[in-house]
């Protein structure tokens, strides 16, 4: 992700998209005439909940499908590994792990440029285009002939996938108020768990193509799943919408309502000029570093689990085909827990407690994996551990990713805080790709121990954040009342340092 992640620097679409607005002037005029968004609700002219459901059904399934394909194409290398990838490409030692690391190098480098392109074009153009590009790269991974080709393909897969997640989170900021985004980010992220289940099913079926053209079936995993990504992406040009001002499924009154509610909720309408002092505010704020550590301590377990689960299960003594099938239930369970925890978090307005609870649930899984001294004799015990790990990692990661987007106010500070979170977080992913070494199975003591230690670290970080945010809110309650309509304060707002701001924890 990038410093552009969800900066909320605008509440109207980028300039490149404004040409697609046939009557923008009349909408702005109507906006002034109709007054604040709350007036629509008070006079019974707008059912806000019904409108949100309408937006959810149009936006979330569409971008969720793209993220499912993204996570599938980045993690199916784990399925390909047990179908003969490393042997056919003559990999020795930990060269396979180096290929995994290169993905994140490309991902980190190109996050910022991808989000700049998004803001200068439109979601309808850029998100499907990105998907086509990584679909082509994913397909080409199926025809690489040596280690160099594998390294190049993994790097460019990271490059082409880097813009999707941060782009979608920014996209959400153009549709939803700050207190509505965490639930949508969690729903969107749940597609990652769903991708794991689909990946297992597809890899099992495609694995039976061994002997067709090539001796092993791993090439077909990349080729067929990559082609499927390209096909879906072509249709995405029609089912991805841009911004509220141009979305065809909205009426003029609904567009005005959305613009007004976002303007009142966000500091995005403030005329905040860039200053290095505002950058320094983020760098000096311990909370911003803690948001980064919260994701850092989840990214290592997340990516080690998704990249190495097929190998972990195969090394319990199962055949490659059965191992592919056995990856499905843990991911399906993670999908359910992610939705459940997101619903609980949204309903009760809690962030830290569900995050800590989910991370604690995942630690049980790694304790089971490490405690089983003879996994091949007791494979069921270790397999049970994977359910606990998956069921905790995915909901905890979704919550960690949403924290700075809803808690940091001040345009520049929020942009820097988001960049800090993802930069710090991805360092965990880079480290994680080097932990599950070729000869460490079936116990994988080093990898499982790091994952367990990181989850315990997340519990500590999230607890500290909870205490800091709670204490600060209590202190501010004694000073002044909360102001939620931040957008209506002009020239009298000091970001989240303002005593009228309340943090979500």
């Amino acid at each position: 992700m990038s410093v552009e992640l969800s900066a909320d620097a605008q509440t109207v679409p980028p300039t490149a998209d404004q040409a697609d607005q046939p009557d923008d002037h009349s909408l702005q005029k109507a906006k002034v005439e109709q007054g604040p968004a709350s007036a629509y609700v008070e006079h019974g002219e707008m059912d806000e909940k019904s409108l949100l459901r309408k937006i959810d059904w149009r936006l979330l399934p569409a971008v969720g499908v793209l993220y499912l394909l993204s996570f599938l194409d980045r993690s199916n290398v784990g399925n390909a590994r047990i179908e003969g990838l490393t042997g056919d490409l003559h990999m020795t030692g930990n060269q396979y792990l180096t290929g995994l690391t290169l993905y994140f190098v490309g991902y980190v480098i190109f996050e910022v440029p991808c989000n700049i392109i998004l803001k200068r074009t439109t979601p309808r153009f850029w998100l499907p285009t990105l998907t086509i590009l990584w679909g082509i790269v994913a397909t080409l991974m199926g025809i690489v002939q040596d280690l160099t080709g594998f390294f190049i393909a993994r790097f460019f897969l990271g490059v082409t996938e880097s813009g999707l997640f941060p782009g979608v989170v920014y996209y959400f900021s153009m549709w939803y108020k700050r207190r509505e985004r965490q639930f949508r980010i969690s729903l969107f992220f749940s597609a990652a768990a769903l991708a794991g289940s689909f990946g297992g099913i597809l890899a099992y079926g495609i694995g039976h193509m061994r002997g067709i053209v090539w001796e092993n079936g791993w090439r077909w995993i990349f080729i067929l799943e990559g082609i499927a990504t390209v096909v879906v992406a072509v249709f995405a040009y029609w089912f991805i919408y841009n911004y509220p001002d141009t979305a065809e499924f909205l009426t003029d009154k609904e567009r005005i309502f959305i613009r007004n509610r976002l303007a009142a909720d966000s500091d995005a309408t403030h005329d905040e000029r860039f200053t290095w002092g505002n950058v320094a505010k983020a760098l000096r704020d311990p909370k911003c570093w803690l948001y980064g550590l919260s994701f850092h301590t989840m990214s290592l377990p997340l990516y080690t689990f998704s990249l190495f689960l097929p190998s972990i299960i195969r090394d319990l003594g199962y055949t490659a085909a059965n191992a592919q099938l056995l990856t499905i239930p843990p991911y399906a369970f993670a999908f359910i827990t992610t939705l459940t925890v997101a619903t609980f978090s949204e309903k009760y307005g809690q962030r830290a407690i569900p995050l800590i609870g989910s991370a604690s649930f995942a630690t049980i899984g790694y304790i089971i994996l490490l405690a089983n001294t003879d996994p091949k004799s007791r494979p069921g015990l270790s397999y049970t551990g994977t359910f606990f790990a998956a069921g905790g990692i995915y909901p905890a990661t979704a919550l960690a990713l949403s924290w700075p987007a809803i808690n940091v106010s001040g345009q520049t500070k929020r942009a820097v805080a988001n960049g800090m979170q993802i930069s710090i977080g991805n360092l965990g992913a880079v480290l994680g790709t080097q932990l599950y070494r070729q000869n460490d199975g079936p116990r994988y003591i080093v990898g499982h121990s790091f994952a367990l230690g990181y989850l315990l670290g997340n519990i500590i970080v999230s607890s500290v954040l909870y205490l800091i945010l709670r204490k600060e809110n209590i202190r501010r309650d004694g000073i002044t009342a909360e102001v939620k309509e931040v957008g209506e304060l002009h020239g009298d707002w000091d970001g989240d340092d303002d005593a009228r701001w309340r943090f979500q924890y």
Side-chain angles (χ1 to χ4, degrees), residues 107-174:
Y107 195 100
V108 171
I109 292 174
F110 284 87
E111 284 175 315
V112 173
C114 282
N115 252 22
I116 291 174
I117 295 173
L118 170 64
K119 293 179 69 175
R120 294 183 66 86
T121 57
T122 65
R124 171 169 279 177
F125 166 78
W126 183 235
L127 297 183
T129 300
L130 267 183
T131 310
I132 288 176
L133 291 175
W134 90 61
I136 292 172
V137 175
T139 304
L140 293 176
M141 283 186 64
I143 61 173
V144 297
Q145 299 299 316
D146 53 30
L147 185 64
T148 301
F150 177 70
F151 284 170
I152 293 172
R154 287 302 295 181
F155 174 80
F156 280 101
L157 186 66
V159 171
T160 50
E161 287 194 358
S162 63
L164 181 66
F165 192 95
V168 169
V169 176
Y170 171 78
Y171 179 54
F172 283 172
S173 74
M174 308 298 283

Coordinates of all heavy atoms in Angstrom, one line a residue, residues 107-174:
Y107 N 6.0 -5.3 -5.1 CA 4.8 -4.8 -4.5 C 5.0 -3.5 -3.8 O 4.3 -2.5 -4.0 CB 4.2 -5.9 -3.5 CG 2.8 -5.7 -3.1 CD1 1.8 -6.4 -3.7 CD2 2.5 -4.7 -2.1 CE1 0.5 -6.2 -3.3 CE2 1.1 -4.6 -1.7 CZ 0.1 -5.3 -2.3 OH -1.2 -5.1 -1.9
V108 N 6.1 -3.4 -3.0 CA 6.3 -2.2 -2.2 C 6.7 -1.1 -3.1 O 6.3 0.1 -2.9 CB 7.4 -2.5 -1.1 CG1 7.9 -1.2 -0.4 CG2 6.9 -3.5 -0.1
I109 N 7.6 -1.3 -4.1 CA 8.1 -0.3 -4.9 C 7.1 0.4 -5.7 O 7.1 1.7 -5.9 CB 9.2 -0.8 -5.9 CG1 10.5 -1.3 -5.1 CG2 9.6 0.2 -6.9 CD1 11.5 -2.0 -5.9
F110 N 6.1 -0.3 -6.2 CA 5.1 0.3 -7.1 C 3.8 0.6 -6.5 O 2.8 1.0 -7.3 CB 4.9 -0.7 -8.3 CG 6.1 -0.6 -9.3 CD1 7.2 -1.4 -9.1 CD2 6.1 0.3 -10.3 CE1 8.3 -1.4 -9.9 CE2 7.2 0.3 -11.2 CZ 8.3 -0.5 -11.0
E111 N 3.6 0.6 -5.2 CA 2.3 0.9 -4.6 C 2.0 2.4 -4.9 O 0.9 2.7 -5.2 CB 2.4 0.7 -3.1 CG 2.2 -0.8 -2.7 CD 2.4 -1.0 -1.2 OE1 3.3 -0.4 -0.6 OE2 1.6 -1.7 -0.6
V112 N 3.0 3.3 -4.6 CA 2.7 4.7 -4.8 C 2.4 5.1 -6.2 O 1.4 5.7 -6.5 CB 3.9 5.6 -4.3 CG1 3.7 7.0 -4.6 CG2 4.0 5.4 -2.8
P113 N 3.2 4.6 -7.2 CA 2.9 5.0 -8.6 C 1.5 4.4 -9.0 O 0.8 5.1 -9.8 CB 4.0 4.3 -9.4 CG 5.1 4.2 -8.5 CD 4.5 4.0 -7.1
C114 N 1.1 3.3 -8.6 CA -0.2 2.7 -8.9 C -1.3 3.6 -8.4 O -2.3 3.8 -9.1 CB -0.3 1.3 -8.4 SG 0.6 0.0 -9.5
N115 N -1.2 4.1 -7.2 CA -2.3 4.9 -6.7 C -2.3 6.3 -7.3 O -3.4 6.9 -7.4 CB -2.2 5.0 -5.1 CG -3.2 4.2 -4.4 OD1 -3.8 3.3 -4.9 ND2 -3.5 4.6 -3.2
I116 N -1.2 6.7 -7.7 CA -1.2 8.0 -8.5 C -1.9 7.9 -9.8 O -2.7 8.7 -10.2 CB 0.3 8.5 -8.7 CG1 0.9 8.9 -7.4 CG2 0.3 9.6 -9.7 CD1 2.4 9.2 -7.5
I117 N -1.7 6.7 -10.5 CA -2.4 6.5 -11.7 C -3.9 6.4 -11.5 O -4.7 6.9 -12.3 CB -1.8 5.2 -12.4 CG1 -0.4 5.4 -12.8 CG2 -2.7 4.8 -13.6 CD1 0.3 4.1 -13.3
L118 N -4.3 5.7 -10.4 CA -5.7 5.6 -10.1 C -6.3 7.0 -9.9 O -7.4 7.2 -10.5 CB -5.9 4.8 -8.8 CG -7.3 4.8 -8.2 CD1 -8.3 4.1 -9.2 CD2 -7.3 4.1 -6.8
K119 N -5.7 7.9 -9.2 CA -6.2 9.2 -9.0 C -6.3 10.0 -10.3 O -7.1 10.9 -10.4 CB -5.5 9.9 -7.9 CG -5.6 9.2 -6.5 CD -4.9 9.9 -5.4 CE -5.4 11.3 -5.1 NZ -4.7 11.9 -4.0
R120 N -5.4 9.7 -11.2 CA -5.3 10.5 -12.4 C -6.2 9.9 -13.5 O -6.5 10.5 -14.6 CB -3.9 10.6 -13.0 CG -3.0 11.4 -12.0 CD -1.6 11.6 -12.6 NE -1.6 12.4 -13.8 CZ -1.6 13.7 -13.9 NH1 -1.5 14.4 -12.7 NH2 -1.6 14.4 -15.0
T121 N -6.7 8.7 -13.3 CA -7.6 8.0 -14.3 C -9.0 7.8 -13.5 O -9.5 8.7 -13.0 CB -7.0 6.7 -14.8 OG1 -6.7 5.8 -13.7 CG2 -5.8 7.0 -15.6
T122 N -9.5 6.6 -13.6 CA -10.7 6.2 -12.9 C -10.6 4.8 -12.4 O -9.9 4.0 -13.0 CB -11.9 6.4 -13.8 OG1 -11.8 5.4 -14.9 CG2 -12.0 7.8 -14.4
P123 N -11.4 4.4 -11.4 CA -11.4 3.0 -11.0 C -11.9 2.1 -12.1 O -11.3 1.0 -12.2 CB -12.4 3.0 -9.8 CG -12.4 4.4 -9.3 CD -12.1 5.3 -10.5
R124 N -12.9 2.5 -12.9 CA -13.4 1.6 -13.9 C -12.3 1.3 -15.0 O -12.3 0.2 -15.5 CB -14.6 2.3 -14.6 CG -15.1 1.5 -15.8 CD -16.4 2.0 -16.3 NE -17.5 1.4 -15.5 CZ -18.8 1.7 -15.7 NH1 -19.1 2.6 -16.6 NH2 -19.7 1.1 -14.9
F125 N -11.4 2.2 -15.2 CA -10.3 1.9 -16.1 C -9.1 1.2 -15.4 O -8.7 0.2 -15.9 CB -9.8 3.2 -16.7 CG -8.4 3.1 -17.4 CD1 -8.4 2.5 -18.7 CD2 -7.3 3.4 -16.8 CE1 -7.2 2.3 -19.3 CE2 -6.0 3.3 -17.4 CZ -6.0 2.7 -18.7
W126 N -8.7 1.7 -14.3 CA -7.4 1.3 -13.7 C -7.5 -0.1 -13.0 O -6.6 -0.9 -13.2 CB -6.9 2.3 -12.7 CG -5.6 2.0 -12.2 CD1 -5.2 1.9 -10.8 CD2 -4.4 1.7 -12.9 NE1 -3.9 1.6 -10.7 CE2 -3.3 1.4 -11.9 CE3 -4.1 1.6 -14.2 CZ2 -2.0 1.1 -12.3 CZ3 -2.8 1.2 -14.6 CH2 -1.8 1.0 -13.7
L127 N -8.6 -0.4 -12.3 CA -8.7 -1.6 -11.5 C -8.8 -2.8 -12.5 O -8.0 -3.8 -12.3 CB -9.8 -1.6 -10.5 CG -9.7 -0.5 -9.4 CD1 -10.9 -0.7 -8.5 CD2 -8.4 -0.7 -8.7
P128 N -9.6 -2.8 -13.5 CA -9.6 -3.9 -14.5 C -8.3 -4.0 -15.3 O -7.9 -5.1 -15.6 CB -10.8 -3.6 -15.4 CG -11.7 -2.7 -14.6 CD -10.8 -1.9 -13.7
T129 N -7.7 -2.9 -15.6 CA -6.5 -2.9 -16.4 C -5.4 -3.6 -15.6 O -4.6 -4.4 -16.1 CB -6.1 -1.5 -16.8 OG1 -7.1 -0.9 -17.6 CG2 -4.8 -1.5 -17.5
L130 N -5.3 -3.2 -14.3 CA -4.3 -3.9 -13.4 C -4.6 -5.4 -13.4 O -3.6 -6.2 -13.4 CB -4.4 -3.3 -12.0 CG -3.6 -2.2 -11.5 CD1 -3.9 -1.9 -10.1 CD2 -2.1 -2.5 -11.7
T131 N -5.8 -5.8 -13.3 CA -6.2 -7.2 -13.2 C -5.7 -7.9 -14.5 O -5.2 -9.0 -14.4 CB -7.7 -7.3 -13.0 OG1 -8.1 -6.5 -11.9 CG2 -8.0 -8.8 -12.6
I132 N -5.9 -7.3 -15.6 CA -5.5 -7.9 -16.9 C -4.0 -8.1 -16.9 O -3.5 -9.1 -17.3 CB -5.9 -7.1 -18.1 CG1 -7.5 -7.2 -18.3 CG2 -5.2 -7.5 -19.3 CD1 -8.0 -6.3 -19.4
L133 N -3.3 -7.1 -16.4 CA -1.8 -7.1 -16.4 C -1.3 -8.2 -15.5 O -0.4 -9.0 -15.9 CB -1.2 -5.8 -16.0 CG -1.4 -4.6 -16.9 CD1 -0.9 -3.3 -16.3 CD2 -0.7 -4.9 -18.2
W134 N -1.8 -8.3 -14.3 CA -1.3 -9.4 -13.4 C -1.8 -10.8 -13.9 O -1.1 -11.8 -13.7 CB -1.5 -9.1 -12.0 CG -2.8 -9.7 -11.4 CD1 -3.2 -11.0 -11.3 CD2 -3.8 -8.9 -10.7 NE1 -4.5 -11.1 -10.7 CE2 -4.8 -9.8 -10.3 CE3 -4.0 -7.6 -10.4 CZ2 -6.0 -9.4 -9.6 CZ3 -5.1 -7.2 -9.8 CH2 -6.1 -8.1 -9.4
G135 N -3.0 -10.8 -14.6 CA -3.4 -12.1 -15.1 C -2.5 -12.6 -16.2 O -2.2 -13.8 -16.3
I136 N -2.0 -11.7 -17.0 CA -1.0 -12.0 -18.1 C 0.3 -12.5 -17.4 O 0.8 -13.6 -17.8 CB -0.7 -10.8 -19.0 CG1 -2.0 -10.5 -19.8 CG2 0.4 -11.1 -19.9 CD1 -1.9 -9.2 -20.6
V137 N 0.8 -11.8 -16.4 CA 2.0 -12.3 -15.7 C 1.8 -13.6 -15.1 O 2.6 -14.5 -15.2 CB 2.4 -11.2 -14.7 CG1 3.6 -11.7 -13.9 CG2 2.8 -9.9 -15.3
A138 N 0.6 -13.8 -14.4 CA 0.3 -15.1 -13.8 C 0.3 -16.2 -14.8 O 0.8 -17.3 -14.5 CB -1.0 -15.0 -13.0
T139 N -0.3 -16.0 -16.0 CA -0.3 -17.0 -17.0 C 1.1 -17.3 -17.5 O 1.4 -18.5 -17.7 CB -1.1 -16.5 -18.2 OG1 -2.5 -16.1 -17.7 CG2 -1.3 -17.5 -19.3
L140 N 1.9 -16.3 -17.7 CA 3.3 -16.5 -18.2 C 4.1 -17.3 -17.2 O 5.1 -17.9 -17.6 CB 3.9 -15.2 -18.5 CG 3.3 -14.4 -19.7 CD1 4.0 -13.1 -19.9 CD2 3.4 -15.2 -21.0
M141 N 3.8 -17.3 -15.9 CA 4.5 -18.1 -14.9 C 4.4 -19.6 -15.3 O 5.3 -20.3 -14.9 CB 4.0 -17.8 -13.5 CG 4.4 -16.5 -12.9 SD 3.9 -16.3 -11.2 CE 4.8 -17.7 -10.4
G142 N 3.4 -19.9 -16.0 CA 3.2 -21.3 -16.4 C 4.2 -21.8 -17.4 O 4.2 -23.0 -17.7
I143 N 4.9 -20.9 -18.1 CA 5.7 -21.3 -19.2 C 7.2 -21.0 -18.9 O 8.0 -21.1 -19.8 CB 5.3 -20.7 -20.5 CG1 5.3 -19.2 -20.5 CG2 3.9 -21.2 -20.9 CD1 5.1 -18.5 -21.9
V144 N 7.5 -20.5 -17.7 CA 8.9 -20.2 -17.4 C 9.7 -21.5 -17.4 O 9.2 -22.6 -17.1 CB 9.1 -19.5 -16.0 CG1 8.4 -18.2 -16.0 CG2 8.5 -20.4 -14.9
Q145 N 11.0 -21.4 -17.9 CA 11.8 -22.6 -18.1 C 13.0 -22.7 -17.1 O 13.6 -23.8 -17.0 CB 12.4 -22.6 -19.5 CG 11.3 -22.6 -20.6 CD 10.4 -23.9 -20.5 OE1 10.9 -25.0 -20.4 NE2 9.1 -23.7 -20.7
D146 N 13.2 -21.7 -16.3 CA 14.4 -21.7 -15.4 C 14.1 -20.8 -14.2 O 13.1 -20.1 -14.1 CB 15.7 -21.4 -16.1 CG 15.6 -20.0 -16.9 OD1 14.8 -19.1 -16.4 OD2 16.3 -19.9 -17.9
L147 N 15.1 -20.8 -13.3 CA 15.0 -20.1 -12.1 C 14.9 -18.6 -12.4 O 14.1 -17.9 -11.7 CB 16.2 -20.4 -11.2 CG 16.2 -19.7 -9.8 CD1 15.0 -20.3 -9.0 CD2 17.5 -20.0 -9.1
T148 N 15.6 -18.1 -13.3 CA 15.6 -16.6 -13.7 C 14.2 -16.2 -14.1 O 13.7 -15.2 -13.7 CB 16.6 -16.3 -14.8 OG1 17.9 -16.7 -14.3 CG2 16.6 -14.9 -15.1
G149 N 13.6 -17.0 -14.9 CA 12.2 -16.7 -15.4 C 11.3 -16.7 -14.2 O 10.4 -15.8 -14.2
F150 N 11.4 -17.6 -13.3 CA 10.6 -17.6 -12.1 C 10.7 -16.3 -11.3 O 9.8 -15.7 -10.8 CB 10.9 -18.8 -11.3 CG 10.1 -19.0 -10.0 CD1 8.7 -19.2 -10.0 CD2 10.7 -18.8 -8.8 CE1 8.0 -19.3 -8.8 CE2 10.0 -18.9 -7.6 CZ 8.6 -19.1 -7.6
F151 N 12.0 -15.9 -11.1 CA 12.3 -14.7 -10.3 C 11.7 -13.5 -11.0 O 11.0 -12.7 -10.3 CB 13.8 -14.5 -10.1 CG 14.4 -15.4 -9.2 CD1 15.8 -15.5 -9.1 CD2 13.7 -16.2 -8.3 CE1 16.4 -16.3 -8.2 CE2 14.3 -17.1 -7.4 CZ 15.7 -17.1 -7.3
I152 N 11.8 -13.4 -12.3 CA 11.3 -12.2 -13.0 C 9.8 -12.2 -12.9 O 9.2 -11.1 -12.7 CB 11.8 -12.2 -14.5 CG1 13.3 -12.0 -14.5 CG2 11.0 -11.2 -15.3 CD1 13.8 -12.2 -15.9
A153 N 9.1 -13.3 -13.1 CA 7.7 -13.4 -13.1 C 7.1 -13.0 -11.7 O 6.2 -12.3 -11.6 CB 7.2 -14.8 -13.5
R154 N 7.8 -13.5 -10.6 CA 7.3 -13.2 -9.3 C 7.4 -11.7 -9.0 O 6.5 -11.1 -8.4 CB 8.1 -14.0 -8.2 CG 7.7 -15.5 -8.2 CD 6.3 -15.8 -7.9 NE 5.8 -15.3 -6.6 CZ 4.6 -15.5 -6.1 NH1 3.7 -16.0 -6.9 NH2 4.3 -15.1 -4.9
F155 N 8.5 -11.1 -9.4 CA 8.7 -9.7 -9.2 C 7.6 -8.9 -9.9 O 7.0 -8.0 -9.3 CB 10.1 -9.3 -9.7 CG 10.3 -7.8 -9.7 CD1 10.7 -7.2 -8.5 CD2 10.2 -7.0 -10.8 CE1 10.9 -5.8 -8.4 CE2 10.4 -5.6 -10.7 CZ 10.8 -5.0 -9.6
F156 N 7.4 -9.2 -11.2 CA 6.4 -8.4 -11.9 C 5.0 -8.7 -11.5 O 4.0 -7.9 -11.7 CB 6.6 -8.6 -13.4 CG 7.7 -7.7 -14.0 CD1 8.9 -8.3 -14.2 CD2 7.5 -6.4 -14.2 CE1 10.0 -7.5 -14.7 CE2 8.5 -5.6 -14.6 CZ 9.8 -6.2 -14.9
L157 N 4.7 -9.9 -10.9 CA 3.4 -10.2 -10.3 C 3.2 -9.2 -9.2 O 2.1 -8.7 -9.0 CB 3.3 -11.6 -9.9 CG 1.9 -12.1 -9.4 CD1 0.9 -12.0 -10.5 CD2 2.0 -13.5 -8.8
G158 N 4.2 -9.0 -8.3 CA 4.1 -8.0 -7.2 C 3.9 -6.6 -7.7 O 3.1 -5.9 -7.2
V159 N 4.6 -6.3 -8.8 CA 4.4 -4.9 -9.4 C 2.9 -4.7 -9.9 O 2.3 -3.7 -9.5 CB 5.3 -4.7 -10.6 CG1 5.0 -3.5 -11.4 CG2 6.8 -4.7 -10.2
T160 N 2.4 -5.7 -10.6 CA 1.1 -5.5 -11.2 C -0.1 -5.6 -10.1 O -1.2 -5.1 -10.3 CB 0.9 -6.5 -12.3 OG1 1.2 -7.8 -11.9 CG2 1.7 -6.1 -13.5
E161 N 0.2 -6.4 -9.1 CA -0.9 -6.5 -8.0 C -0.8 -5.4 -7.0 O -1.8 -5.3 -6.2 CB -0.7 -7.9 -7.3 CG -1.2 -9.1 -8.2 CD -1.4 -10.3 -7.4 OE1 -1.1 -10.3 -6.2 OE2 -1.8 -11.3 -7.9
S162 N 0.2 -4.6 -7.0 CA 0.5 -3.7 -5.9 C -0.6 -2.6 -5.8 O -0.8 -2.1 -4.7 CB 1.8 -3.0 -6.0 OG 1.9 -2.2 -7.2
G163 N -1.3 -2.3 -6.9 CA -2.2 -1.2 -6.8 C -3.6 -1.5 -6.4 O -4.5 -0.6 -6.1
L164 N -4.0 -2.8 -6.3 CA -5.4 -3.2 -6.1 C -5.9 -2.9 -4.6 O -6.8 -2.1 -4.5 CB -5.6 -4.7 -6.4 CG -7.1 -5.1 -6.2 CD1 -8.0 -4.4 -7.2 CD2 -7.3 -6.6 -6.3
F165 N -5.2 -3.4 -3.6 CA -5.7 -3.3 -2.3 C -5.7 -1.8 -1.9 O -6.8 -1.3 -1.4 CB -5.0 -4.1 -1.3 CG -5.6 -4.2 0.1 CD1 -6.5 -5.2 0.4 CD2 -5.4 -3.2 1.0 CE1 -7.1 -5.3 1.6 CE2 -6.1 -3.2 2.3 CZ -6.9 -4.3 2.6
P166 N -4.6 -1.1 -2.0 CA -4.6 0.4 -1.6 C -5.6 1.2 -2.5 O -6.2 2.1 -2.0 CB -3.2 0.8 -1.8 CG -2.6 -0.2 -2.7 CD -3.2 -1.5 -2.4
G167 N -5.7 0.8 -3.7 CA -6.6 1.5 -4.6 C -8.1 1.3 -4.2 O -8.8 2.3 -4.2
V168 N -8.4 0.1 -3.8 CA -9.8 -0.1 -3.4 C -10.1 0.6 -2.0 O -11.2 1.1 -1.8 CB -10.1 -1.6 -3.2 CG1 -11.4 -1.9 -2.6 CG2 -10.1 -2.3 -4.6
V169 N -9.1 0.6 -1.1 CA -9.4 1.3 0.2 C -9.6 2.8 -0.1 O -10.4 3.4 0.5 CB -8.2 1.1 1.1 CG1 -8.4 1.9 2.4 CG2 -8.1 -0.4 1.5
Y170 N -8.8 3.4 -1.0 CA -9.0 4.8 -1.4 C -10.4 4.9 -2.0 O -11.1 5.9 -1.8 CB -7.9 5.2 -2.4 CG -8.2 6.6 -3.0 CD1 -8.0 7.7 -2.2 CD2 -8.7 6.7 -4.3 CE1 -8.3 9.0 -2.8 CE2 -9.0 7.9 -4.8 CZ -8.8 9.1 -4.1 OH -9.1 10.3 -4.6
Y171 N -10.7 4.0 -2.9 CA -12.0 4.0 -3.6 C -13.2 4.0 -2.6 O -14.2 4.7 -2.7 CB -12.1 2.7 -4.5 CG -13.3 2.4 -5.2 CD1 -13.9 3.4 -6.1 CD2 -13.9 1.2 -5.2 CE1 -15.0 3.1 -6.9 CE2 -15.0 0.8 -5.9 CZ -15.6 1.8 -6.8 OH -16.6 1.5 -7.5
F172 N -13.1 3.2 -1.5 CA -14.1 3.2 -0.5 C -14.2 4.5 0.2 O -15.3 4.9 0.6 CB -13.7 2.1 0.6 CG -14.0 0.7 0.2 CD1 -13.6 -0.3 1.0 CD2 -14.7 0.4 -1.0 CE1 -13.8 -1.7 0.6 CE2 -15.0 -0.9 -1.3 CZ -14.5 -1.9 -0.5
S173 N -13.1 5.2 0.3 CA -13.2 6.6 1.0 C -14.0 7.6 0.2 O -14.4 8.6 0.7 CB -11.7 7.1 1.2 OG -11.2 7.6 0.0
M174 N -14.2 7.3 -1.1 CA -15.0 8.2 -1.9 C -16.5 7.8 -1.8 O -17.3 8.5 -2.4 CB -14.5 8.1 -3.4 CG -13.0 8.3 -3.5 SD -12.5 9.9 -3.0 CE -13.0 10.9 -4.4

